[in-house]
Amino acid sequence: MSILPFVLRDYWEDPWAGVVRPSRLFDQGFGNVLTDDDLALSMLNRFGPGAVRRPPQSTGMSEVVNNENEFRVGLDVRHFKPEELKVTTKDNRVIINAKHEERPDEHGYIMREFTRQYVLPKDVDPNTVTSGLSRDGVLTIKAPKKALAAPEERAIPITHEPSGQKSIKK
């Protein structure tokens, strides 16, 4: 008998359980060419004294924050126009799709498309999800956490057999 299904069960039920730090994915440049500055900053981040931080809009980074107040996703989509972006919810997921047709750039022609899905935590209502696009091309998706209702006091009736009657055994 395997114990593995018991270990993984909680993860598959709610992958956000226990996540308190932001989750980040770097270098999602969707076809960008690396520059000398990118390489230099990468080396400084890895080996230099202190971290050189670049804002998300210049790195192709996405960030997921799941704290006690909200669920939030920040995603660099600067290569797409607002009309090329689509954000939907389906069941307990947020789905982001971006696509632009082939067009010329400094290296020739490029066509970009991506779809990313995020599982919403159990305490987030999919109907409360909102999104916004900043001027620098960062798409932010937010959803507040549901307020936990205080447990109400409830009287529990006690069932009992009437006195004077004996149960009949056959």
Side-chain angles (χ1 to χ4, degrees):
M1 181 164 87
S2 171
I3 194 165
L4 189 61
F6 294 108
V7 173
L8 293 177
R9 186 188 74 218
D10 290 337
Y11 174 79
W12 293 115
E13 288 177 2
D14 186 5
W16 298 108
V19 174
V20 292
R21 295 182 314 186
S23 172
R24 295 184 178 121
L25 292 173
F26 292 94
D27 300 325
Q28 298 186 88
F30 304 116
N32 288 345
V33 175
L34 289 177
T35 65
D36 292 338
D37 290 339
D38 290 325
L39 296 174
L41 284 172
S42 175
M43 295 301 280
L44 284 173
N45 275 335
R46 189 170 292 168
F47 301 112
V52 175
R53 300 286 182 224
R54 292 167 56 184
Q57 67 271 16
S58 65
T59 63
M61 182 178 81
S62 69
E63 179 178 42
V64 178
V65 175
N66 182 32
N67 59 34
E68 62 276 354
N69 299 321
E70 70 177 350
F71 174 79
R72 182 178 70 241
V73 175
L75 183 63
D76 179 1
V77 293
R78 65 181 163 192
H79 297 291
F80 299 94
K81 297 176 186 173
E83 59 272 10
E84 297 171 337
L85 298 169
K86 182 179 173 185
V87 179
T88 58
T89 58
K90 183 177 180 183
D91 300 326
N92 67 333
R93 296 179 185 267
V94 174
I95 304 163
I96 302 140
N97 182 268
K99 179 180 182 177
H100 70 68
E101 298 302 323
E102 187 175 279
R103 62 182 173 210
D105 71 357
E106 64 271 12
H107 304 287
Y109 289 87
I110 189 162
M111 193 250 341
R112 291 183 179 99
E113 179 179 13
F114 79 90
T115 300
R116 183 167 296 282
Q117 296 185 31
Y118 296 94
V119 176
L120 291 170
K122 290 181 179 179
D123 53 353
V124 169
D125 180 2
N127 295 319
T128 63
V129 174
T130 61
S131 66
L133 184 62
S134 69
R135 289 181 184 212
D136 52 358
V138 176
L139 178 66
T140 303
I141 297 165
K142 294 181 182 180
K145 296 285 183 98
K146 294 178 188 175
L148 297 175
E152 297 178 15
E153 185 173 327
R154 180 175 75 97
I156 312 279
I158 301 170
T159 58
H160 61 283
E161 293 180 8
S163 60
Q165 291 184 357
K166 294 183 181 178
S167 57
I168 302 171
K169 293 184 182 179
K170 289 187 178 183

Coordinates of all heavy atoms in Angstrom, one line a residue, residues 103-163:
R103 N 3.6 40.4 -36.8 CA 3.9 41.8 -37.2 C 5.5 42.0 -37.1 O 6.2 41.2 -36.5 CB 3.2 42.7 -36.2 CG 3.6 42.6 -34.8 CD 2.8 43.6 -33.9 NE 3.0 43.4 -32.5 CZ 2.1 43.7 -31.6 NH1 0.9 44.1 -31.9 NH2 2.4 43.5 -30.3
P104 N 5.9 43.0 -37.8 CA 7.4 43.2 -37.9 C 7.9 43.8 -36.6 O 7.2 44.5 -35.9 CB 7.5 44.2 -39.1 CG 6.2 44.9 -39.2 CD 5.2 43.9 -38.7
D105 N 9.1 43.4 -36.3 CA 9.9 44.0 -35.2 C 11.3 44.3 -35.7 O 11.6 44.1 -36.8 CB 9.8 43.2 -33.9 CG 10.6 41.9 -34.0 OD1 11.2 41.6 -35.0 OD2 10.6 41.2 -32.9
E106 N 12.2 44.6 -34.7 CA 13.6 44.9 -35.1 C 14.4 43.7 -35.7 O 15.4 43.9 -36.2 CB 14.3 45.6 -34.0 CG 14.5 44.8 -32.8 CD 13.4 44.9 -31.8 OE1 12.3 45.4 -32.1 OE2 13.6 44.3 -30.7
H107 N 13.9 42.5 -35.5 CA 14.6 41.3 -35.9 C 13.9 40.6 -37.1 O 14.4 39.6 -37.5 CB 14.8 40.4 -34.7 CG 15.4 41.0 -33.5 ND1 16.8 41.3 -33.5 CD2 14.9 41.4 -32.4 CE1 17.1 41.8 -32.4 NE2 16.0 41.9 -31.7
G108 N 12.8 41.1 -37.5 CA 12.1 40.4 -38.6 C 10.6 40.5 -38.3 O 10.0 41.5 -38.0
Y109 N 10.0 39.3 -38.2 CA 8.5 39.2 -37.9 C 8.4 38.3 -36.7 O 9.1 37.4 -36.4 CB 7.8 38.6 -39.1 CG 7.7 39.5 -40.2 CD1 8.7 39.6 -41.2 CD2 6.6 40.4 -40.3 CE1 8.6 40.5 -42.3 CE2 6.5 41.3 -41.4 CZ 7.5 41.3 -42.4 OH 7.4 42.2 -43.4
I110 N 7.4 38.7 -35.9 CA 7.1 37.9 -34.6 C 5.6 37.8 -34.4 O 4.8 38.7 -34.7 CB 7.8 38.5 -33.4 CG1 7.7 37.6 -32.2 CG2 7.2 39.9 -33.1 CD1 8.7 37.9 -31.1
M111 N 5.2 36.6 -33.9 CA 3.8 36.4 -33.5 C 3.9 35.9 -32.0 O 4.7 35.0 -31.8 CB 3.1 35.4 -34.4 CG 1.6 35.4 -34.2 SD 0.8 34.0 -33.4 CE 1.9 32.6 -33.5
R112 N 3.1 36.4 -31.1 CA 3.2 36.0 -29.7 C 1.8 35.5 -29.3 O 0.8 36.1 -29.6 CB 3.6 37.1 -28.8 CG 5.1 37.5 -29.0 CD 5.4 38.6 -27.9 NE 6.7 39.0 -28.0 CZ 7.2 40.1 -28.7 NH1 6.3 40.9 -29.3 NH2 8.4 40.4 -28.7
E113 N 1.8 34.5 -28.4 CA 0.6 34.1 -27.8 C 0.9 33.3 -26.6 O 1.9 32.5 -26.5 CB -0.3 33.2 -28.7 CG -1.5 32.7 -28.1 CD -2.4 31.8 -29.0 OE1 -1.9 31.4 -30.0 OE2 -3.5 31.6 -28.6
F114 N 0.2 33.5 -25.5 CA 0.3 32.7 -24.3 C -1.0 32.6 -23.6 O -1.9 33.4 -23.7 CB 1.4 33.2 -23.4 CG 1.0 34.4 -22.5 CD1 0.4 34.2 -21.3 CD2 1.2 35.7 -22.9 CE1 0.0 35.2 -20.5 CE2 0.8 36.8 -22.2 CZ 0.2 36.5 -20.9
T115 N -1.1 31.5 -22.8 CA -2.2 31.3 -22.0 C -1.7 30.8 -20.6 O -0.8 30.0 -20.6 CB -3.2 30.2 -22.5 OG1 -3.7 30.6 -23.8 CG2 -4.4 30.0 -21.5
R116 N -2.1 31.5 -19.6 CA -1.7 31.1 -18.2 C -2.9 31.0 -17.4 O -3.8 31.8 -17.4 CB -0.7 32.2 -17.6 CG -0.2 31.8 -16.3 CD 0.9 32.6 -15.8 NE 2.1 32.6 -16.7 CZ 3.0 31.6 -16.6 NH1 2.8 30.5 -15.8 NH2 4.0 31.6 -17.4
Q117 N -2.9 29.9 -16.5 CA -4.0 29.7 -15.6 C -3.5 29.7 -14.2 O -2.5 29.1 -13.9 CB -4.7 28.4 -15.9 CG -5.3 28.3 -17.3 CD -6.1 27.0 -17.5 OE1 -6.6 26.4 -16.5 NE2 -6.1 26.5 -18.7
Y118 N -4.3 30.2 -13.3 CA -4.0 30.2 -11.9 C -5.2 29.6 -11.1 O -6.3 30.0 -11.4 CB -3.8 31.7 -11.3 CG -2.5 32.3 -12.0 CD1 -2.7 33.1 -13.1 CD2 -1.3 32.1 -11.4 CE1 -1.6 33.7 -13.6 CE2 -0.2 32.7 -12.0 CZ -0.3 33.5 -13.1 OH 0.8 34.1 -13.7
V119 N -4.9 28.7 -10.2 CA -6.0 28.1 -9.4 C -6.3 29.1 -8.3 O -5.4 29.6 -7.6 CB -5.6 26.8 -8.8 CG1 -6.6 26.2 -7.9 CG2 -5.3 25.8 -9.9
L120 N -7.6 29.5 -8.1 CA -7.9 30.4 -7.0 C -8.0 29.6 -5.7 O -8.4 28.5 -5.7 CB -9.3 31.0 -7.3 CG -9.4 31.9 -8.5 CD1 -10.9 32.3 -8.8 CD2 -8.6 33.2 -8.2
P121 N -7.6 30.3 -4.6 CA -7.7 29.6 -3.3 C -9.1 29.4 -3.0 O -10.0 30.0 -3.5 CB -7.1 30.7 -2.4 CG -6.2 31.5 -3.2 CD -6.9 31.6 -4.6
K122 N -9.4 28.4 -2.1 CA -10.8 28.1 -1.7 C -11.5 29.3 -1.1 O -12.7 29.3 -1.3 CB -10.8 26.9 -0.7 CG -10.3 25.6 -1.3 CD -10.4 24.5 -0.3 CE -9.9 23.2 -0.9 NZ -10.0 22.1 0.0
D123 N -10.8 30.2 -0.5 CA -11.5 31.3 0.2 C -11.7 32.5 -0.7 O -11.8 33.6 -0.3 CB -10.9 31.6 1.5 CG -9.4 31.9 1.4 OD1 -8.8 31.7 0.3 OD2 -8.8 32.3 2.4
V124 N -11.6 32.3 -2.1 CA -11.8 33.4 -3.0 C -13.0 33.1 -3.9 O -13.1 32.0 -4.4 CB -10.5 33.6 -3.9 CG1 -10.8 34.5 -5.0 CG2 -9.4 34.2 -3.0
D125 N -13.9 34.1 -4.0 CA -15.1 33.9 -4.9 C -14.7 34.3 -6.3 O -14.2 35.5 -6.5 CB -16.2 34.8 -4.4 CG -17.5 34.7 -5.2 OD1 -17.5 33.9 -6.2 OD2 -18.4 35.4 -4.9
P126 N -14.8 33.4 -7.3 CA -14.4 33.8 -8.7 C -15.2 35.0 -9.2 O -14.7 35.7 -10.1 CB -14.8 32.6 -9.5 CG -14.8 31.4 -8.5 CD -15.2 32.0 -7.2
N127 N -16.4 35.3 -8.7 CA -17.1 36.5 -9.1 C -16.6 37.8 -8.6 O -17.0 38.9 -9.1 CB -18.6 36.4 -8.7 CG -19.3 35.2 -9.3 OD1 -19.1 34.9 -10.5 ND2 -20.0 34.4 -8.5
T128 N -15.6 37.8 -7.7 CA -15.0 39.0 -7.2 C -13.7 39.4 -7.9 O -13.0 40.3 -7.5 CB -14.8 38.9 -5.7 OG1 -13.9 37.9 -5.4 CG2 -16.1 38.7 -5.0
V129 N -13.2 38.6 -8.8 CA -12.0 38.8 -9.5 C -12.0 40.1 -10.4 O -13.0 40.3 -11.1 CB -11.5 37.6 -10.3 CG1 -10.3 37.9 -11.1 CG2 -11.3 36.4 -9.5
T130 N -11.0 40.9 -10.2 CA -10.9 42.1 -11.0 C -9.5 42.2 -11.7 O -8.6 41.5 -11.2 CB -11.1 43.4 -10.2 OG1 -10.1 43.5 -9.2 CG2 -12.5 43.5 -9.6
S131 N -9.4 43.0 -12.8 CA -8.1 43.1 -13.4 C -7.9 44.5 -13.9 O -8.9 45.3 -14.1 CB -8.0 42.1 -14.6 OG -8.9 42.5 -15.6
G132 N -6.6 44.9 -14.0 CA -6.3 46.2 -14.4 C -4.9 46.2 -15.1 O -4.1 45.4 -14.8
L133 N -4.8 47.1 -16.1 CA -3.5 47.1 -16.9 C -2.9 48.5 -16.6 O -3.5 49.5 -16.9 CB -3.9 46.9 -18.3 CG -2.7 46.9 -19.3 CD1 -1.8 45.7 -19.0 CD2 -3.2 46.8 -20.7
S134 N -1.6 48.5 -16.2 CA -0.9 49.7 -15.9 C -0.3 50.3 -17.2 O -0.3 49.6 -18.2 CB 0.2 49.5 -14.9 OG 1.2 48.7 -15.5
R135 N 0.1 51.5 -17.2 CA 0.7 52.1 -18.4 C 2.0 51.4 -18.9 O 2.3 51.4 -20.1 CB 1.0 53.6 -18.1 CG -0.2 54.4 -18.0 CD 0.2 55.9 -17.8 NE -1.0 56.7 -17.6 CZ -1.1 57.9 -17.9 NH1 -0.1 58.5 -18.5 NH2 -2.2 58.6 -17.7
D136 N 2.7 50.8 -17.9 CA 3.9 50.2 -18.3 C 3.7 48.7 -18.6 O 4.7 48.0 -18.8 CB 5.0 50.3 -17.2 CG 4.5 50.0 -15.8 OD1 3.4 49.6 -15.7 OD2 5.3 50.0 -14.9
G137 N 2.5 48.2 -18.8 CA 2.2 46.9 -19.3 C 2.2 45.8 -18.3 O 2.3 44.6 -18.6
V138 N 1.9 46.1 -17.0 CA 1.7 45.1 -16.0 C 0.2 44.9 -15.8 O -0.5 45.8 -15.4 CB 2.4 45.5 -14.7 CG1 2.2 44.5 -13.6 CG2 3.9 45.7 -14.9
L139 N -0.2 43.6 -16.0 CA -1.6 43.2 -15.8 C -1.7 42.8 -14.4 O -0.9 41.9 -13.9 CB -2.0 42.1 -16.7 CG -3.4 41.6 -16.6 CD1 -4.4 42.6 -17.0 CD2 -3.5 40.3 -17.5
T140 N -2.6 43.4 -13.6 CA -2.8 43.0 -12.2 C -4.2 42.4 -12.0 O -5.2 43.0 -12.4 CB -2.6 44.2 -11.3 OG1 -1.3 44.7 -11.5 CG2 -2.7 43.7 -9.8
I141 N -4.2 41.2 -11.5 CA -5.5 40.5 -11.2 C -5.6 40.4 -9.7 O -4.7 39.9 -9.1 CB -5.5 39.1 -11.9 CG1 -5.4 39.4 -13.4 CG2 -6.8 38.4 -11.6 CD1 -5.1 38.1 -14.2
K142 N -6.8 40.8 -9.2 CA -7.0 40.8 -7.7 C -8.3 40.2 -7.4 O -9.2 40.2 -8.2 CB -7.0 42.2 -7.2 CG -5.7 43.0 -7.3 CD -5.9 44.3 -6.6 CE -4.6 45.2 -6.7 NZ -4.8 46.5 -6.1
A143 N -8.3 39.6 -6.2 CA -9.6 39.0 -5.7 C -9.4 39.1 -4.2 O -8.5 38.5 -3.6 CB -9.8 37.6 -6.1
P144 N -10.4 39.7 -3.5 CA -10.4 39.7 -2.0 C -10.7 38.3 -1.4 O -11.4 37.5 -2.1 CB -11.4 40.7 -1.6 CG -12.4 40.7 -2.8 CD -11.6 40.4 -4.0
K145 N -10.2 38.1 -0.3 CA -10.6 36.8 0.4 C -11.9 37.0 1.1 O -12.3 38.1 1.4 CB -9.5 36.5 1.5 CG -8.1 36.2 1.0 CD -8.1 34.9 0.4 CE -6.7 34.5 -0.1 NZ -5.9 33.7 0.8
K146 N -12.6 35.9 1.1 CA -14.0 35.9 1.8 C -13.8 36.1 3.3 O -12.8 35.6 3.9 CB -14.7 34.6 1.6 CG -15.1 34.3 0.2 CD -15.7 32.9 0.1 CE -15.9 32.4 -1.3 NZ -16.5 31.1 -1.4
A147 N -14.6 37.0 3.8 CA -14.6 37.2 5.3 C -15.2 35.9 5.9 O -16.2 35.4 5.6 CB -15.4 38.4 5.7
L148 N -14.4 35.4 6.9 CA -14.9 34.3 7.6 C -16.0 34.7 8.7 O -15.7 35.6 9.5 CB -13.8 33.6 8.4 CG -12.7 33.0 7.4 CD1 -11.5 32.4 8.3 CD2 -13.3 31.9 6.5
A149 N -17.1 34.1 8.6 CA -18.2 34.4 9.5 C -17.9 33.8 10.9 O -17.4 32.7 11.0 CB -19.5 33.9 9.0
A150 N -18.2 34.6 11.9 CA -18.0 34.1 13.3 C -19.0 33.0 13.5 O -20.1 33.0 13.1 CB -18.2 35.2 14.3
P151 N -18.5 31.9 14.1 CA -19.4 30.8 14.4 C -20.6 31.2 15.2 O -20.4 31.9 16.2 CB -18.6 29.8 15.1 CG -17.3 30.4 15.4 CD -17.2 31.7 14.7
E152 N -21.8 30.9 14.8 CA -23.0 31.2 15.5 C -23.3 30.1 16.5 O -23.0 29.0 16.3 CB -24.2 31.4 14.6 CG -24.0 32.5 13.6 CD -25.1 32.6 12.6 OE1 -26.2 32.0 12.9 OE2 -25.0 33.3 11.6
E153 N -24.0 30.5 17.6 CA -24.4 29.6 18.6 C -25.7 28.9 18.1 O -26.6 29.6 17.6 CB -24.6 30.3 20.0 CG -25.0 29.3 21.0 CD -25.0 30.0 22.4 OE1 -24.3 30.9 22.6 OE2 -25.9 29.5 23.2
R154 N -25.7 27.6 18.3 CA -26.9 26.9 17.8 C -27.3 25.9 18.8 O -26.5 25.2 19.3 CB -26.5 26.2 16.5 CG -27.7 25.4 15.9 CD -27.3 24.8 14.5 NE -26.4 23.7 14.6 CZ -26.7 22.4 14.5 NH1 -28.0 22.1 14.4 NH2 -25.9 21.5 14.6
A155 N -28.6 25.9 19.1 CA -29.1 24.9 20.1 C -29.2 23.5 19.4 O -29.8 23.5 18.3 CB -30.4 25.3 20.7
I156 N -28.8 22.5 20.0 CA -28.9 21.2 19.5 C -29.9 20.4 20.3 O -29.8 20.3 21.5 CB -27.5 20.4 19.6 CG1 -26.4 21.2 19.2 CG2 -27.6 19.0 19.0 CD1 -26.2 21.2 17.7
P157 N -31.0 20.0 19.7 CA -32.1 19.3 20.4 C -31.6 17.9 20.9 O -30.8 17.2 20.2 CB -33.2 19.1 19.4 CG -32.6 19.3 18.1 CD -31.3 20.1 18.3
I158 N -32.0 17.5 22.1 CA -31.6 16.2 22.6 C -32.8 15.3 22.4 O -33.9 15.6 22.9 CB -31.3 16.4 24.1 CG1 -30.1 17.3 24.3 CG2 -31.0 15.0 24.7 CD1 -29.9 17.7 25.7
T159 N -32.6 14.2 21.7 CA -33.7 13.3 21.5 C -33.6 12.2 22.7 O -32.5 11.8 23.1 CB -33.5 12.5 20.2 OG1 -32.3 11.9 20.1 CG2 -33.7 13.6 19.1
H160 N -34.8 11.8 23.1 CA -34.8 10.8 24.2 C -36.1 10.0 24.1 O -37.0 10.4 23.4 CB -34.8 11.5 25.6 CG -35.9 12.4 25.8 ND1 -36.0 13.7 25.3 CD2 -37.0 12.3 26.5 CE1 -37.1 14.2 25.6 NE2 -37.8 13.4 26.4
E161 N -36.0 8.8 24.7 CA -37.1 8.0 24.7 C -38.1 8.4 25.8 O -37.6 8.7 26.9 CB -36.7 6.5 24.9 CG -35.9 6.0 23.7 CD -35.5 4.5 24.0 OE1 -35.9 3.9 24.9 OE2 -34.7 4.0 23.2
P162 N -39.4 8.3 25.6 CA -40.3 8.7 26.6 C -40.2 7.7 27.8 O -40.0 6.5 27.6 CB -41.7 8.6 26.0 CG -41.4 8.4 24.5 CD -40.0 8.1 24.3
S163 N -40.3 8.2 29.0 CA -40.2 7.3 30.1 C -41.5 6.5 30.2 O -42.6 6.9 29.8 CB -40.0 8.0 31.4 OG -41.0 8.9 31.6

